[in-house]
Amino acid sequence: MESQKKRILIVGGYGMVGSNIARLIRQADKSIELILAGRNPQNGISLAKELNHSETAYINLEEGFDLSEFKKIDLIISAVDDHSNILRETAILNGIACIAVSELADQISPTAFLSLHKTIVAPIVYAGHWQAGLLTLMVKQQANKFSQIETIELAGLYDPKDSVGPLVANEVSGFDGEALIRKGGNWLSLQAKENPRTIDLHNHSSAIGYPLSTLDVPSIAAFTSAKNIRFDFIIGESIGTSKGLEASHELYITIDGTLLSGEKRKLNTIVSGPKGNSHLTAVGVYLITEKILGLNGQSEQKIGGLYLPETIISTHHISNRLKEFGIEIIEETLESM
């Protein structure tokens, strides 16, 4: 008997991030049924026709979400702001896998507490990291080169020439409030605008960044024990724009510590996505989807529970995986000061 086709509901499925996610899933599997949902489903009709085995649906989270209106769903992907946690909670209560990409560090506790009271039978993935986990996945790979890490400084560079949708636009305007950082082994909540940091860029210029409470910081602290960690948001010229090409999006990673060889070094890594912010986020979501559903030769994640991108995706060769999507990795090792 032929197994039932997998069905994925992408809320925000025809937006800039959602459409990139849908296309990556379709490239990996021609038979998965995709539901591209949002408040203006007519805007997704042409994409649904392009992808095949796809349909559009009306969902406005401000009005709630009625799962009974849909046939069986295997995975819900939230590519919109869902500050009421409707999609995650619906997924937990109905045994459906879910990926959510919009939460900051102080917004995950409601779902975390719900999970302590309910049995989670499908994977629920917090992916409110920068680019849905790609930054932290790279940090985890690079951290394996060190025996001890003192400081990890992170930044995401947004180029104003990079076309983004509402989801990303909300992210890039989210540095006005407080931000969680780790300093000297202590957790601090700082006023972002009052705590700038100067960041060296690819072209030997510098830019001012402001801290943002992405999930990267507490997660990286958990697996590195680094005493100093912060993520900053920068606005500036990307590598793509500087070359006269399409605006790219860059992730800057600096790890300062002791290498496995015993040498004290500073490792600088730039992850450059030539197709911009929305595509990088979509790649992160796709890699999680690939693991949850067992696409592209991956083993299907059948054990339910709360996950992060870096606890569900293997990081052993993540730089090679990213290169498959046209993403460039630039590394430089310097003497530690």
Side-chain angles (χ1 to χ4, degrees):
M1 180 181 297
E2 183 181 353
S3 60
Q4 185 181 16
K5 292 180 180 178
K6 299 291 187 181
R7 286 171 53 81
I8 301 177
L9 171 64
I10 307 176
V11 184
Y14 48 83
M16 294 196 69
V17 174
S19 59
N20 273 293
I21 294 169
R23 287 190 173 100
L24 289 172
I25 292 172
R26 177 57 73 231
Q27 289 171 16
D29 190 294
K30 304 300 182 185
S31 65
I32 285 177
E33 295 180 359
L34 299 173
I35 305 167
L36 313 176
R39 290 184 289 187
N40 300 288
Q42 67 276 8
N43 293 344
I45 292 175
S46 61
L47 177 61
K49 290 180 179 178
E50 170 196 328
L51 297 175
N52 295 319
H53 302 299
S54 304
E55 61 186 273
T56 61
Y58 175 80
I59 292 180
N60 183 348
L61 294 180
E62 294 180 0
E63 300 172 357
F65 173 54
D66 186 356
L67 183 64
S68 67
E69 295 180 359
F70 298 88
K71 298 177 184 177
K72 181 179 180 294
I73 300 294
D74 296 284
L75 171 63
I76 297 173
I77 296 176
S78 174
V80 294
D81 286 321
D82 180 16
H83 297 314
S84 296
N85 301 319
I86 295 172
L87 297 174
R88 280 173 288 176
E89 292 183 6
T90 298
I92 289 173
L93 297 175
N94 291 275
I96 301 171
C98 180
I99 304 169
V101 300
S102 63
E103 64 276 290
L104 295 176
D106 58 351
Q107 297 171 335
I108 66 173
S109 57
T111 309
F113 276 89
L114 179 63
S115 72
L116 295 173
H117 290 273
K118 302 292 182 181
T119 300
I120 304 182
V121 300
I124 304 294
V125 184
Y126 287 126
H129 307 51
W130 202 249
Q131 311 317 127
L134 295 190
L135 177 67
T136 292
L137 288 168
M138 274 301 304
V139 170
K140 196 169 185 179
Q141 176 182 288
Q142 301 297 63
N144 287 330
K145 301 175 182 179
F146 289 80
S147 60
Q148 183 176 351
I149 296 173
E150 184 68 24
T151 298
I152 300 177
E153 294 176 332
L154 313 164
L157 183 142
Y158 167 68
D159 188 324
K161 294 182 179 180
D162 185 358
S163 298
V164 297
L167 177 65
V168 178
N170 287 338
E171 287 180 348
V172 301
S173 63
F175 57 87
D176 292 326
E178 294 188 350
L180 181 69
I181 73 165
R182 186 168 171 84
K183 185 175 182 180
N186 298 312
W187 289 105
L188 303 177
S189 185
L190 305 179
Q191 288 294 326
K193 283 292 190 178
E194 298 173 6
N195 291 275
R197 178 168 71 92
T198 301
I199 295 141
D200 295 328
L201 301 182
H202 61 93
N203 56 4
H204 304 294
S205 67
S206 62
I208 301 298
Y210 298 93
L212 185 64
S213 282
T214 64
L215 301 188
D216 305 89
V217 172
S219 183
I220 289 170
F223 66 75
T224 67
S225 300
K227 294 181 179 179
N228 304 288
I229 309 171
R230 65 180 275 172
F231 171 86
D232 290 272
F233 174 78
I234 326 166
I235 296 177
E237 183 180 77
S238 66
I239 291 175
T241 295
S242 69
K243 293 180 177 179
L245 304 172
E246 182 180 350
S248 56
H249 184 79
E250 273 77 60
L251 313 178
Y252 285 82
I253 302 167
T254 298
I255 303 178
D256 196 342
T258 305
L259 294 172
L260 296 176
S261 63
E263 300 171 291
K264 291 188 178 297
R265 290 290 185 270
K266 181 181 289 187
L267 175 60
N268 292 331
T269 306
I270 302 175
V271 179
S272 179
K275 296 181 181 179
N277 191 306
S278 296
H279 180 260
L280 267 186
T281 301
V283 170
V285 174
Y286 167 74
L287 291 175
I288 301 167
T289 302
E290 183 181 77
K291 179 59 181 175
I292 289 176
L293 298 182
L295 306 181
N296 197 28
Q298 297 284 321
S299 58
E300 183 178 349
Q301 183 65 45
K302 295 183 179 180
I303 300 175
L306 293 183
Y307 292 89
L308 301 166
E310 58 274 20
T311 65
I312 199 169
I313 298 171
S314 172
T315 57
H316 293 306
H317 304 289
I318 191 63
S319 58
N320 291 335
R321 285 304 318 273
L322 296 186
K323 290 174 184 177
E324 294 175 13
F325 297 92
I327 298 168
E328 183 180 7
I329 312 295
I330 304 166
E331 295 184 33
E332 179 185 30
T333 303
L334 304 173
E335 293 263 353
S336 183
M337 299 300 291

